[in-house]
Amino acid sequence: MTKAEIIAEIATKTGIEKGDVQETVEAFFKVVKNSMVGGENVYVRGFGSFIVKKRAKKTARNISKNTAIIVPEHFVPSFKPAKIFVDKVRNGNKSKIA
C-alpha cells in the first residue's frame, strides 16, 4: 500500500477532502522525522515506536580493494511495533499474502 492509497482510503472513510488528509499525513511524517533527527523517540500507543538506535563503531571490509575501513558510531531510525499490533498481524487473514 502506498502513501497515496493510504490518503485515498482515509479520505473515503472519514469524508475529509484528499488535500486536507494529505497535509495531515505529511505533517505527521514531518513531526516524526524531525523528532528523530533531534534524537527524540516517538511512541504511538497501540501501533508502535519510532526509535533512534545507536550503532557501535566497527571495522568493515571493502571487498573490491581488499582493505579494512572503520565505520564510526552512528544513529539509525528504527520501528518497533506494539505487541497488540504484532498479535493482530499474526492472527490476521493470511490468504491475502502470496
Side-chain angles (χ1 to χ4, degrees):
M1 186 172 228
T2 65
K3 184 166 46 169
E5 291 170 336
I6 292 170
I7 290 168
E9 188 166 332
I10 292 171
T12 302
K13 287 185 177 183
T14 61
I16 301 171
E17 291 183 27
K18 277 188 185 180
D20 294 338
V21 173
Q22 183 174 357
E23 283 182 39
T24 305
V25 170
E26 293 291 344
F28 171 76
F29 286 130
K30 190 174 187 177
V31 168
V32 170
K33 282 191 261 186
N34 290 339
S35 296
M36 293 182 77
V37 166
E40 191 177 348
N41 296 331
V42 178
Y43 304 100
V44 182
R45 188 175 301 275
F47 183 71
S49 305
F50 298 92
I51 55 177
V52 178
K53 286 188 175 180
K54 183 177 181 181
R55 296 278 189 239
K57 175 180 157 181
K58 67 179 179 179
T59 303
R61 304 270 322 150
N62 182 343
I63 297 172
S64 62
K65 295 181 181 177
N66 198 23
T67 57
I69 56 172
I70 303 223
V71 178
E73 84 175 12
H74 59 283
F75 297 92
V76 294
S78 181
F79 176 74
K80 182 179 179 194
K83 187 177 182 311
I84 297 167
F85 181 38
V86 171
D87 291 341
K88 279 191 174 191
V89 171
R90 187 175 289 141
N91 298 324
N93 187 356
K94 303 288 192 237
S95 64
K96 291 182 181 179
I97 300 171

